[in-house]
Amino acid sequence: KAGVTQTPRYLIKTRGQQVTLSCSPISGHRSVSWYQQTPGQGLQFLFEYFSETQRNKGNFPGRFSGRQFSNSRSEMNVSTLELGDSALYLCASSGGTPGTSRYNEQFFGPGTRLTVL
Amino acid sequence: QKEVEQNSGPLSVPEGAIASLNCTYSDRGSQSFFWYRQYSGKSPELIMFIYSNGDKEDGRFTAQLNKASQYVSLLIRDSQPSDSATYLCAVNYAFQKLVFGTGTRLLVSP
């Protein structure tokens, strides 16, 4: 089974621009979560989507948004980029059956390294 | 604010020794706990999960959970240089929201 894929792997943008990152979950997985990882703050939860619905959101400004498509692929968008948005953006998918012990297991993709100049 | 605390390390152990990694969490209602391994420049890789009090063993890895003390640990037996990485403790909250600790860097010397 193919793992989680993320595109692009690397991005360089300038302040004020916007960016869209893409994530394809493991086949059959319907939940996609997004995280931001920085040296200073570690891994922080952005939001989670299940069946095209955002079920949970972290403490990030509204410049960070996402969506999920009917095939479970997900995109996240960051508008008006700031220098502090430079980070590794990770997508994780999970697909266990609700009520089972594996329900909350999340598997990460390779990440997109975003650099804002 | 739900928090997960880990000692940042580095934790240095010789090859063949047992490495013990610890994690505490703030929310008594937490139900599921995960250990991820992250090599430098790579994404986190799930190595263990635990839901019930007590020990769970998988190969050289043992996860231990004590909900009364709000404490999770990971033991790595027969540590190898290839185990050198950052180990992230994560606690699951509603709807696949993981809260991560800052990670413990493990160094295994040959």
Side-chain angles (χ1 to χ4, degrees):
Chain A
K1 214 181 224 187
V4 179
T5 59
Q6 292 187 245
T7 57
R9 295 292 311 277
Y10 302 92
L11 264 179
I12 299 176
K13 293 286 188 179
T14 56
R15 280 181 297 174
Q17 288 187 308
Q18 76 166 17
V19 66
T20 300
L21 312 181
S22 180
C23 170
S24 292
I26 293 170
S27 178
H29 284 193
R30 295 167 65 189
S31 169
V32 174
S33 301
W34 288 89
Y35 296 84
Q36 181 197 65
Q37 187 173 32
T38 60
Q41 299 296 318
L43 263 162
Q44 293 188 291
F45 174 81
L46 281 156
F47 29 66
E48 186 256 355
Y49 287 87
F50 181 87
S51 293
E52 302 179 67
T53 300
Q54 186 183 90
R55 297 194 298 183
N56 213 338
K57 191 176 189 302
N59 295 323
F60 280 82
R63 300 185 297 106
F64 292 82
S65 63
R67 60 178 175 167
Q68 187 181 35
F69 303 95
S70 58
N71 61 358
S72 295
R73 190 178 70 84
S74 178
E75 289 181 347
M76 69 163 281
N77 184 276
V78 188
S79 62
T80 319
L81 284 166
E82 300 177 359
L83 294 179
D85 297 333
S86 294
L88 179 65
Y89 289 89
L90 292 158
C91 158
S93 80
S94 60
T97 303
T100 68
S101 61
R102 307 197 85 91
Y103 177 58
N104 297 128
E105 290 181 57
Q106 293 187 35
F107 299 93
F108 283 87
T112 295
R113 172 78 59 186
L114 172 64
T115 301
V116 182
L117 302 176
Chain B
Q1 181 79 358
K2 296 175 172 51
E3 294 183 347
V4 178
E5 302 284 342
Q6 291 182 262
N7 188 316
S8 61
L11 172 66
S12 296
V13 300
E15 183 174 357
I18 296 175
S20 178
L21 305 159
N22 305 313
C23 170
T24 59
Y25 59 95
S26 62
D27 187 351
R28 282 198 173 275
S30 302
Q31 294 295 320
S32 44
F33 307 87
F34 302 84
W35 283 99
Y36 284 83
R37 176 175 63 197
Q38 187 172 26
Y39 292 111
S40 181
K42 301 294 186 182
S43 62
E45 172 193 9
L46 179 63
I47 53 173
M48 288 285 290
F49 63 91
I50 188 166
Y51 298 88
S52 304
N53 274 329
D55 295 359
K56 179 182 178 183
E57 188 174 316
D58 183 0
R60 295 187 297 114
F61 299 97
T62 299
Q64 299 175 317
L65 174 61
N66 183 325
K67 289 187 178 180
S69 299
Q70 296 173 240
Y71 178 89
V72 191
S73 65
L74 179 70
L75 301 178
I76 306 174
R77 290 181 300 281
D78 189 23
S79 296
Q80 300 296 309
S82 58
D83 294 326
S84 297
T86 296
Y87 289 80
L88 298 161
C89 172
V91 178
N92 188 81
Y93 295 97
F95 296 135
Q96 264 68 344
K97 174 183 177 179
L98 289 177
V99 176
F100 284 84
T102 52
T104 297
R105 187 171 166 222
L106 174 66
L107 297 175
V108 182
S109 54

